[in-house]
Amino acid sequence: MSAVEGFCLVNGQWSDVIPARDRGLAYGHGIFETIRLSDGKLLMSELHLERLKRGAERLSIPVDSTIVQSYLEMLLSRCPDHGVVKVICTAGEGARGYRTYPQTPPNFIVHWGPPPDYPNHWVTEGISAMVCEQRLASFPRLAGIKHLNRLEQVLARMEWQDQFQEGLMRDNEGHIIEGTMTNLFCFRDGGWLTPSLKSCGVAGVMRQYLMDKLMPAMNCPVRESQLSLESLSGMEELFVCNSIAGIWPVRHIADVGQWKPGKATKAVSSALSENFACFSA
Amino acid sequence: MSAVEGFCLVNGQWSDVIPARDRGLAYGHGIFETIRLSDGKLLMSELHLERLKRGAERLSIPVDSTIVQSYLEMLLSRCPDHGVVKVICTAGEGARGYRTYPQTPPNFIVHWGPPPDYPNHWVTEGISAMVCEQRLASFPRLAGIKHLNRLEQVLARMEWQDQFQEGLMRDNEGHIIEGTMTNLFCFRDGGWLTPSLKSCGVAGVMRQYLMDKLMPAMNCPVRESQLSLESLSGMEELFVCNSIAGIWPVRHIADVGQWKPGKATKAVSSALSENFACFSA
């Protein structure tokens, strides 16, 4: 186990390989979480584990959360205090074919990676984004779930190299849904809006934390809404967020508009940093 | 390497594990083929390798077909003479995140499995199918490609246990596209129709062989068409096919209709068996 490669557990054993016949590889039959590790603590770990459990149920994977937690504790007992911890849970080794056998034990991969090295000014001054051509297809049954079928995001990410920091994705009807790796929040007329994820998209843990906990605690109104691309130019402030990077104000979307990091975004960002120091600039 | 587990090569080494950080597992960033092995020969291997190459290009995976062929030869030199050979080609080990780095070498998994044990009467008398609730989402850029994002098929296959032999899948507009693991052909007014795969679906190698080679050689007209669920009940004959099972007449679709294996299907099935003995009943 080399420290350069990171620390990796497969079903509670130190290993960095998985069975070649795993259904996660064969079909993407599994879910994952990426969790920020700061000062030895997994941030928002309850929300991550809840989403993992919810996703596993929708994919008929029998996941025991206490097992996942024990693997996480085993990893944390050895890995560095800061970084990113990824959990993958798959439907296990399958016979040939799409059929799922409920008695098949899942495979759990838990590994550590170094902390992100995003520049500070993305937090303070904001990022530049583009609108991707690649669309998100409607898949209501798995909408919100962080499953392993992510070719839409992979193809969208191929649309730029280093000139942008994020790409926004639309559904087939043209509604803005999310960034390739972030969720979007928009401020207008004193309240926050975030795209509805009823038919596609990933319901990020940071999005959930902001909507269900932080913004209500700040008395900031927030609601889900269908957002057209055109409506973005009329927004007063925009930010994208995820549980690794925190909050990035959006200062530019190519062919759409420009913004300055505003007071509403700064208020949310400051409140987040007060609760989680690693998200301060 | 146990013979019970089958024979498995990873990048040309005897192994049945792959790196836990492979992008095929993380995102389904890869493609696969399942090829019938009969008397030591891989059936329709050129068509399979062509499709693999086409899929790899669409996913920006640099695949050298001669390497795949050398791995296949290495596998065939040791494995039994009959069975199913699966090839998986992934985008290799990635850094965290969706971004693709073109210099990353792909990972190749090539493994043998036993021949299918489908009963003979599925070939002679036909199969019973259902129409799945799970839809196929529109994804024109990857339509036809056998990529590793297969949750739609996995979820569809959960809709029945043993009471049917296949499930037919529709797109979001209600057009019949394919079976979970087969393509569909319908006979009416002296000609064959098969669903168009422009917006979704897998373009099976057996489908391609029948459309481009066998049916033209038999002077059977065949064309792609948009097919509604309702139109199926007006068809004179139906069959499903893939490159492992060959041709299965459809004798029943729940809530749609019943058919008897007809002359047109028998003619195609016999012609196929003449070229490939393993597909005879």
Side-chain angles (χ1 to χ4, degrees), chain A residues 5 16 18 20 99 149 151 162, chain B residues 16 18 20 99 149 151 162:
Chain A
E5 295 278 354
D16 51 13
I18 63 147
R99 187 170 181 175
N149 277 199
L151 278 175
D162 295 305
Chain B
D16 52 11
I18 63 148
R99 186 169 181 174
N149 277 198
L151 278 175
D162 295 304

Side-chain angles (χ1 to χ4, degrees), chain B residues 55-73:
Chain B
E57 277 163 16
R58 292 226 219 147
L59 298 181
S60 297
I61 304 175
V63 166
D64 180 342
S65 297
T66 59
I67 290 185
V68 182
Q69 242 155 347
S70 72
Y71 295 155
L72 285 171
E73 282 162 24

